[in-house]
Amino acid sequence: MTSTYSRVAGTGGYLPELRLTNQDLVERLAKIGVETSDEWIVTRSGISARHFAADNELTSDLAVKAAQQALEMAGCTSEDLDLIILATSTPDHLGGFPSTACVVQDKLGAHTHCAAFDVQAVCAGFTYALAIADAFIRTGTYKKVLVLGAETFSRILDFQDRTTSVLFGDGAGAVVLEASSESGILATALHADGSQRDILCVPGRAKQGGVEGSAYLTMDGPAVFKLAVKVLEQVAHEVLEKANLKPEQIDWLVPHQANIRIMESTARKMGMSMDKVIVTVHEHGNTSAASIPLALDAGVRSGQIQRGQHLLLEGVGGGFAWGAAIIKY
């Protein structure tokens, strides 16, 4: 009996037109009495720029543009899709319904037999969505799945808080997975710890047409850093063991692009050179669920990532949630 794998057939990425360098943001913040500097931002995060969506641009709009690139690379159309899974913490609609995945389905013109739903695991969202898609394909339920990570985090940032407002940006990334007899996604691992939910969250709640509490992102930076470094090392070793691979057999580490120091720490603990890490955080900051597929697409389109290579994808975010995947690209 032939095993069925989920193979990456195409990737795509999209960043909004508005690009803000650190200096651009420094000048914006100075106008509201908030002081920071390019040196302060780069030293702590490795970020040099980020992209913000236009006022009339929705999360679904970013996702559609990334999806179109991935579909083109995969040599298929939206009519070929069986399922759309979209990871996001910033959906088009309050309460998350209708799901942004359903909006994307409509905007892509995908047929109505195509299922669609959102996944919410913040910065780990893409690894969660990828693992779900892989399970559907392996069981024979679906043959072609569009997996998306898309965010408009600029809309939940408190620009009075320089510790968070300089770190995040907007964007979308996409992957088309298809059923294949050839190895593709070799292993996945997902985890969560709800007891740590308060260190990175949006604490407000919808109430009677308004918001009770803050609608802005809040973060305990040191606590997040400490936990992220710990769990990323653990899940990386776990997924490698599942795939029966050793760290030295990984050609590229494609991590969540949150902070260059976290990526450097993870690579060091894995015994990997930074030359084997796909780094895009300097250009678009932390785009949450979009960051891994954006980095993956950048690596593919630059020619760094080649067919047949082993990739380790990993991400960690609010929830607290984290996950990883090993892919033979």
Side-chain angles (χ1 to χ4, degrees), residues 78-322:
S78 60
E79 286 294 306
D80 299 315
L81 296 173
D82 302 311
L83 172 65
I84 298 171
I85 307 176
L86 188 148
T88 187
S89 300
T90 50
D92 284 7
H93 298 280
L94 185 65
F97 75 88
S99 74
T100 305
C102 283
V103 179
V104 169
Q105 178 203 34
D106 178 48
K107 290 181 177 180
L108 282 175
H111 61 81
T112 56
H113 298 298
C114 170
F117 62 86
D118 289 354
V119 168
Q120 164 50 306
V122 200
C123 304
F126 185 76
T127 58
Y128 269 63
L130 199 68
I132 294 167
D134 177 53
F136 273 125
I137 289 175
R138 282 178 180 268
T139 58
T141 306
Y142 298 116
K143 293 183 178 180
K144 204 173 293 285
V145 182
L146 174 64
V147 185
L148 298 157
E151 304 283 12
T152 48
F153 253 59
S154 60
R155 290 176 183 149
I156 58 171
L157 297 179
D158 178 3
F159 287 96
Q160 293 288 341
D161 179 6
R162 73 168 185 167
T163 64
T164 57
S165 63
V166 300
L167 301 179
F168 296 88
D170 303 336
V175 165
V176 173
L177 293 183
E178 64 181 14
S180 174
S181 59
E182 299 179 3
S183 298
I185 297 180
L186 302 181
T188 61
L190 304 175
H191 295 280
D193 181 359
S195 70
Q196 300 291 334
R197 63 189 180 277
D198 292 336
I199 65 176
L200 177 57
C201 66
V202 177
R205 297 179 176 87
K207 183 177 182 181
Q208 311 253 298
V211 177
E212 181 181 56
S214 173
Y216 292 126
L217 177 150
T218 63
M219 180 173 70
D220 180 342
V224 169
F225 184 93
K226 182 179 180 180
L227 185 58
V229 168
K230 174 184 175 182
V231 300
L232 286 174
E233 180 188 8
Q234 291 173 345
V235 78
H237 284 294
E238 177 187 356
V239 78
L240 280 166
E241 185 175 346
K242 283 186 175 183
N244 197 28
L245 293 174
K246 296 179 180 180
E248 55 267 28
Q249 293 176 279
I250 296 299
D251 295 290
W252 292 102
L253 174 62
V254 188
H256 167 46
Q257 307 286 313
N259 184 304
I260 190 64
R261 293 189 297 160
I262 293 176
M263 289 188 276
E264 289 171 342
S265 176
T266 301
R268 185 169 57 253
K269 288 177 180 292
M270 298 296 295
M272 298 177 68
S273 163
M274 285 300 291
D275 292 338
K276 299 179 73 174
V277 182
I278 300 295
V279 178
T280 55
V281 67
H282 58 285
E283 174 54 34
H284 56 65
N286 185 343
T287 53
S288 190
S291 80
I292 292 176
L294 275 169
L296 176 61
D297 183 59
V300 170
R301 292 181 186 272
S302 69
Q304 293 171 282
I305 295 175
Q306 298 286 324
R307 285 292 181 188
Q309 292 184 328
H310 288 106
L311 317 178
L312 169 55
L313 281 56
E314 59 174 13
V316 58
F320 217 76
W322 59 99

